[in-house]
């Protein structure tokens, strides 16, 4: 008999997000003995780290769909980059202009990889100054794609190790 395990200390949200250019992926290594996956990169120099802003929801969602060509998974990773400013402008432009693999850790400690070399995620953002003095000034963003397989769960304790 097979049984789905349940984590009674389950919490929502994301803790870390790393955007990686597809060209920097050396390979997605599958350990067949342990049935685990790990990412190997050519370089870490081009990774863009997006800090998770406290008290704001960063969300990962993945919904299975069907089309004439078969199954697909509609992936979305959303959050807010606080403060529209000149210091972040170049990185935001880089995100806007490229396709991305996104490695992220949720607040339960599970690390995922979304996107692939063939179907990278696309970044889109919406800048706002906020509508009141107490409102948030920032960039609401999302990484999205319809990928041919679900996001991969990686066997990594810390994203510093990718």
């Amino acid at each position: 008999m097979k049984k789905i395990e349940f984590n009674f200390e389950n919490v929502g949200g994301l803790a870390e997000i790393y955007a990686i250019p597809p060209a920097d992926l050396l390979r997605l290594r599958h350990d067949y003995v342990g049935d685990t996956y790990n990412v190997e990169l050519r370089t870490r120099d081009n990774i863009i780290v997006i800090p998770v802003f406290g008290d704001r929801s960063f969300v990962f969602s993945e919904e299975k769909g069907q089309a004439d060509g078969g199954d697909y998974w509609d992936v979305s990773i959303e959050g807010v980059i606080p403060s529209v400013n000149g210091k972040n402008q170049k990185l935001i432009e880089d995100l806007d202009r490229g396709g991305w693999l996104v490695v992220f850790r949720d607040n339960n400690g599970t690390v995922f990889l979304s996107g692939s070399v063939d179907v990278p995620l696309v970044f889109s953002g919406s800048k706002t100054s906020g509508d009141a003095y107490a409102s948030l000034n920032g960039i609401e963003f999302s990484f999205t794609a319809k990928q041919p397989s679900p996001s991969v769960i990686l066997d990594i304790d810390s994203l510093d190790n990718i």
Side-chain angles (χ1 to χ4, degrees):
M1 177 183 340
K2 298 176 183 176
K3 181 180 178 182
I4 292 179
E5 295 183 26
F6 186 78
N7 177 1
F8 288 95
E9 297 182 22
N10 184 7
V11 294
L14 302 181
E16 297 178 272
I17 300 174
Y18 288 51
I20 303 168
D24 288 354
L25 179 70
L26 181 61
R27 70 179 176 146
L28 178 63
R29 185 173 41 84
H30 184 197
D31 176 0
Y32 289 95
V33 175
D35 196 25
T36 58
Y37 291 89
N38 210 328
V39 171
E40 293 181 10
L41 300 175
R42 288 183 173 85
T43 180
R44 293 177 47 91
D45 295 342
N46 302 314
I47 293 174
I48 298 176
V49 180
I50 301 174
V52 173
F53 185 56
D55 296 332
R56 292 292 295 191
S57 295
F58 280 62
V59 178
F60 161 68
S61 65
E62 184 173 76
E63 184 176 341
K64 182 181 177 187
Q66 293 183 325
D68 292 341
D71 294 342
Y72 66 90
W73 282 260
D74 196 359
V75 173
S76 177
I77 301 163
E78 301 174 0
V80 175
I81 299 169
S83 182
V84 177
N85 63 53
K87 293 178 184 177
N88 293 331
Q89 187 62 29
K90 171 71 171 92
L91 293 177
I92 299 303
E93 289 174 7
D94 289 347
L95 288 167
D96 276 333
R97 292 190 172 113
W100 300 94
L101 307 177
V102 178
V103 174
F104 58 95
R105 184 173 54 86
D106 69 13
N107 284 327
N108 294 307
T110 304
V111 178
F112 296 86
L113 168 66
S114 293
S116 67
V117 173
D118 296 327
V119 183
L121 301 181
V122 175
F123 176 89
S124 62
S126 174
K127 297 176 186 174
T128 181
S129 65
D131 59 356
Y133 185 80
S135 295
L136 180 66
N137 172 314
I139 302 165
E140 293 185 10
F141 72 89
S142 65
F143 289 95
T144 57
K146 289 182 179 2
Q147 52 189 45
S149 58
S151 297
V152 176
I153 295 177
L154 301 176
D155 184 29
I156 302 174
D157 292 331
S158 170
L159 291 186
D160 293 333
N161 297 330
I162 61 171

